[in-house]
Amino acid sequence: VSNAKTAYDTAFDHAVGHGFGYWRIITEMSDDDSFDQDIKIKRINNSFRVYLDPSAEEVTKKDAMWGFVTSMVDKEDYPEGSWEAGTGEDNQLWIDGEKVRIAEYFRRVPIKTTLWLMEDGKTIKVKDDDMDITDELTEKGVVPKKTREVDSYKVEWFKLSINKIHEREDFPSKYIPIIPCYGKVLNVLGKDIYRGVIRYAKDPQRIYNYTRTASVEQVALAPKAPWVIEQDQLGTHKKMWETANTQNHAVLPYKNKPGVPPPQRQMPPQPSAGWLSESAISDQDIDASSGMYKSSLGAPSNERSGKAINARKVEGDVGVYHYHDNRAISLQHSYEILVDMIPRIYDTERLVRIKKFDDQEEMIEINQQMFDNQTGQWVKMYDLSMGKYDVTVDIGASYGTQRQMASESMMELIQYAPQTAEKVMPIIAKNLDWPGADEIAEVLAAPPPINPQQVQQKIQEAVSQALQNQGDQIKKFEAMTKRIKTLSDVYTDDDKIQIELLKLLDENGIDDEELRSRAVEIVNQMKDQQSTMESQSGATPQQ
C-alpha cells in the first residue's frame, strides 16, 4: 500500500551519495468513508529536512528523544501572524522571503506504567498517564498476584511554525518514527562524521575532468587537416577548395601544372598523450577510492564464464558491504516500530491485504469475533494484540531474482544429468518470468498420452512373465508329487503330514495359494485311496 521500496531506495541513494538518508512512518485513514487507519511508510526526498537528537547513541537512533521533519511552504497557506516573529539571525531558517518553514516535531515523553500479573498468568496494564483502572478492579474483588512499576515512553507529535503550534496529538508508538539510513560513519572527537561512496573520489574526479577538458580543448582548437596546393592549381575551382574542410565533395578537381605535385593534405597536431594517460590514471583512481571497479559492475574483463563474472561481482561488493549492512539495520529498526504500532492501529475487525514471500497477495479478516463452543465465550481470530514478536532482516535477492537463479541452476543440472530433464523441466518452466509460465509448467508436468501399441506390448510382456513364473511353479509342483506320495506312505498322522507338507512347499518356494491348496488336496486323496486299499486287503497300516 505504501510503495515502501521507493522510500527505502531514496534513503539508500542518499546514504551512498552523501552519507545519510531517511524515511518515516505515518498513519493515514484507509478510506474517505472509514474510521480505520493504515500504517504507511513515506519517503523523505531531501535528507537535509530532517533533524534528529544528536545525543542518541544507537546506530539506528532508536533512543532519540526528539526529531524534526521540516518543509518550506508559501506564507499564504497558513494564517497571517503564524509566521511573524521579529527580525534577526535566529529567524533566517524559519522565514525566507515568501516562504515559511513548517516543522513536524516528535518528542518522547517518559511515563509510568503499572502492570498486574493475574492468577491465570495474564499480564494487564492497569495504570499509565492516560488511564487508571486500579480502583475499579479492586471494587470488583480482583487481586493481582504481582504488581510492577515500569518506566516507558509515549511519543507526542506537533505541527508548528516559528511562533505557533498548529496541531498536536499522540503518536501510536514509543519510538520516534523517523528512520535514518547511514553510509559510512566515523566518530571523531565525539562527533559523528558521515560520508558516502564519492567522498574520496572527488579529487581524482577533478583531475579527470581537468585532463579531459584540456584534451578536448586542444583538439577543438587545432585546425582541420589543411590542403597544400599551389595557387595556380586552383584555377576556376577556388570556391570548391575553400569548402573542402566543411563539405563532403565527391570530387576535388584542380588545374594540373607541369612539374608541380598534386594537392596534398597536412596532418593537424595530435592530442597530447600526456592528457590521455593522466585521464586513464584518474579513472582508475576513481575506482580505487570508491571501491567499485568496472569489472565488478558487469563491464567486460578477463572473466568469461558466468560463474567467474559473478565471483568478481561478489568481490566488488566487499568494498561497499557496510552500506548494505547499514540498510539492513535501518530496515530492522523500521520493522520494530511497525511491530510496536500494529496492535495499536489494527485493533478492529477489518479486511487487510497481505503479501506472501512469493509475492502472492491474500485478503485476511483480522480481529473477527467468533463463538468458541468449547469455552462458551466469544474470541477473536487473528488478534494482532496477542503475543510478542521479534524482527530479523536478511538482505538478499528478491523472490523474482531467486526464481531466475533457480532456473539457471536447474538448467546446469540438466546439462550434467540429462536423465533428470523430464522431471525438472516443469519446475524450470514454473520459475520463468514468461507470460503463461504456469500453463507451460502444467503442460510439461502432464502425463504423456496413452499409446495403444505400447499398452498392448506391456500387457504381453506381463502375461509372458506370469506364464513363465507359473510354469516354474508347476515344474516344482510336479517334482514334489513324488515326495508327497512318500509322505503319505511314511506318515499316518494327519497333522504330521500337514506340517511336513507345508515345510516342503516353503522349501521349494511354492507361494501360489492355488498350488498350495492343490497339494493339500492331492495328499488327502492319496490318504483316502490308501485307506480304501488297506480295508480291502486287510493289511496293517505302516507306522
Side-chain angles (χ1 to χ4, degrees):
V1 175
S2 305
N3 192 21
K5 185 177 183 298
T6 303
Y8 302 148
D9 290 348
T10 301
F12 187 63
D13 184 51
H14 290 175
V16 173
H18 54 261
F20 58 94
Y22 302 91
W23 67 82
R24 59 182 303 190
I25 299 176
I26 66 171
T27 59
E28 288 182 349
M29 291 296 177
S30 58
D31 293 297
D32 293 339
D33 56 353
S34 172
F35 289 95
D36 292 331
Q37 286 186 317
D38 283 332
I39 303 173
K40 293 188 177 181
I41 297 170
K42 293 293 185 180
R43 78 184 188 113
I44 298 178
N45 60 351
N46 183 356
S47 53
F48 293 94
R49 294 169 48 202
V50 178
Y51 305 86
L52 274 179
D53 183 1
S55 63
E57 296 185 356
E58 294 284 346
V59 66
T60 58
K61 302 295 184 182
K62 66 185 298 183
D63 56 339
M65 298 301 293
W66 55 265
F68 286 90
V69 179
T70 69
S71 58
M72 299 297 290
V73 300
D74 293 332
K75 288 182 178 180
E76 60 186 21
D77 293 337
Y78 281 84
E80 185 175 355
S82 62
W83 41 264
E84 294 179 353
T87 59
E89 294 182 355
D90 294 339
N91 300 331
Q92 291 180 353
L93 296 178
W94 286 94
I95 303 173
D96 184 11
E98 295 302 316
K99 295 287 187 179
V100 60
R101 186 177 301 277
I102 298 298
E104 293 184 62
Y105 170 51
F106 298 88
R107 69 178 182 186
R108 295 178 79 195
V109 180
I111 59 173
K112 292 285 188 179
T113 302
T114 302
L115 301 180
W116 280 11
L117 178 64
M118 311 308 292
E119 293 294 337
D120 58 0
K122 293 183 178 180
T123 300
I124 61 174
K125 182 169 64 173
V126 298
K127 182 180 179 181
D128 58 20
D129 288 0
D130 297 325
M131 66 95 178
D132 185 356
I133 59 173
T134 53
D135 294 339
E136 181 181 349
L137 293 177
T138 303
E139 291 177 0
K140 293 181 179 180
V142 178
V143 179
K145 185 178 179 181
K146 289 182 180 180
T147 62
R148 178 188 172 196
E149 298 290 333
V150 180
D151 291 326
S152 185
Y153 293 93
K154 70 175 182 178
V155 174
E156 297 178 342
W157 171 84
F158 304 84
K159 178 178 284 189
L160 48 86
S161 58
I162 188 172
N163 64 356
K164 184 176 182 180
I165 296 175
H166 300 276
E167 300 178 50
R168 64 180 301 170
E169 62 184 36
D170 289 341
F171 188 82
S173 177
K174 61 183 178 181
Y175 300 107
I176 303 295
I178 303 172
I179 297 89
C181 181
Y182 294 125
K184 183 70 173 179
V185 184
L186 184 64
N187 187 280
V188 179
L189 299 176
K191 181 180 180 180
D192 287 335
I193 298 176
Y194 306 97
R195 71 170 178 87
V197 171
I198 66 173
R199 169 65 64 85
Y200 298 127
K202 292 168 69 175
D203 286 338
Q205 182 69 57
R206 291 189 181 102
I207 298 174
Y208 180 85
N209 293 344
Y210 176 78
T211 55
R212 292 297 298 136
T213 300
S215 177
V216 171
E217 183 181 17
Q218 181 183 11
V219 173
L221 295 178
K224 295 185 178 180
W227 288 92
V228 177
I229 184 171
E230 189 174 290
Q231 186 173 0
D232 293 341
Q233 289 180 309
L234 295 176
T236 59
H237 311 296
K238 182 178 180 180
K239 291 185 177 180
M240 182 176 293
W241 279 96
E242 289 177 349
T243 60
N245 278 333
T246 59
Q247 297 182 15
N248 293 324
H249 298 295
V251 177
L252 286 174
Y254 70 98
K255 182 180 178 180
N256 184 28
K257 188 174 181 180
V260 178
Q264 298 179 358
R265 275 190 181 275
Q266 295 294 318
M267 294 303 296
Q270 297 298 313
S272 171
W275 293 132
L276 299 178
S277 175
E278 193 63 35
S279 297
I281 295 174
S282 300
D283 187 31
Q284 296 176 1
D285 290 342
I286 294 172
D287 296 341
S289 60
S290 64
M292 301 175 65
Y293 294 90
K294 294 178 178 58
S295 58
S296 65
L297 299 176
S301 184
N302 297 329
E303 298 83 5
R304 292 294 178 264
S305 67
K307 187 174 182 180
I309 293 174
N310 289 331
R312 172 62 64 187
K313 290 182 179 180
V314 172
E315 289 295 329
D317 289 340
V318 173
V320 292
Y321 74 94
H322 44 273
Y323 294 97
H324 299 285
D325 284 352
N326 289 344
R327 181 174 186 265
I329 293 172
S330 298
L331 285 172
Q332 179 163 343
H333 176 47
S334 181
Y335 300 152
E336 288 173 350
I337 297 177
L338 292 178
V339 168
D340 180 53
M341 294 179 62
I342 284 173
R344 309 170 192 248
I345 299 300
Y346 297 92
D347 57 352
T348 59
E349 186 173 342
R350 59 192 290 192
L351 276 174
V352 296
R353 184 169 68 242
I354 65 172
K355 181 179 285 188
K356 299 182 180 179
F357 173 74
D358 57 357
D359 291 338
Q360 297 296 319
E361 294 183 354
E362 183 179 355
M363 300 299 294
I364 299 293
E365 188 170 1
I366 62 174
N367 299 317
Q368 183 181 8
Q369 293 284 347
M370 298 187 67
F371 187 77
D372 189 347
N373 294 324
Q374 295 182 354
T375 62
Q377 297 179 350
W378 289 91
V379 296
K380 283 185 179 181
M381 296 296 295
Y382 298 113
D383 184 359
L384 302 184
S385 64
M386 298 296 293
K388 298 292 184 181
Y389 301 92
D390 289 330
V391 174
T392 181
V393 174
D394 181 23
I395 298 296
S398 65
Y399 180 72
T401 304
Q402 290 180 12
R403 287 176 55 184
Q404 182 179 357
M405 295 171 62
S407 299
E408 294 175 355
S409 299
M410 286 185 281
M411 290 296 293
E412 293 182 1
L413 172 64
I414 291 178
Q415 293 178 1
Y416 291 105
Q419 67 275 11
T420 64
E422 183 177 356
K423 296 181 178 180
V424 175
M425 283 306 296
I427 304 175
I428 295 178
K430 190 174 183 180
N431 283 280
L432 295 175
D433 290 331
W434 301 342
D438 292 338
E439 289 78 2
I440 296 175
E442 292 179 2
V443 172
L444 294 175
I450 299 176
N451 189 333
Q453 295 180 352
Q454 293 180 350
V455 174
Q456 185 175 2
Q457 182 180 356
K458 289 184 178 296
I459 292 176
Q460 291 177 355
E461 293 176 356
V463 170
S464 299
Q465 186 66 33
L467 291 175
Q468 181 180 355
N469 294 339
Q470 187 177 10
D472 295 340
Q473 295 272 28
I474 292 175
K475 290 179 181 179
K476 292 180 181 180
F477 183 75
E478 291 176 351
M480 289 177 54
T481 54
K482 297 179 181 180
R483 297 189 65 182
I484 292 174
K485 180 65 169 63
T486 303
L487 286 175
S488 62
D489 293 342
V490 174
Y491 299 103
T492 58
D493 186 353
D494 292 345
D495 294 336
K496 188 69 174 177
I497 292 175
Q498 293 288 345
I499 293 173
E500 295 297 328
L501 175 61
L502 294 175
K503 288 182 179 180
L504 188 60
L505 292 171
D506 292 337
E507 290 174 0
N508 288 271
I510 304 299
D511 54 2
D512 187 272
E513 293 296 333
E514 185 177 353
L515 292 178
R516 294 172 72 95
S517 300
R518 181 60 179 159
V520 174
E521 183 180 349
I522 292 174
V523 171
N524 292 334
Q525 290 177 358
M526 289 181 177
K527 287 174 55 183
D528 294 340
Q529 291 177 1
Q530 184 176 3
S531 299
T532 302
M533 293 173 60
E534 290 175 351
S535 62
Q536 292 177 354
S537 61
T540 303
Q542 299 180 6
Q543 302 296 325

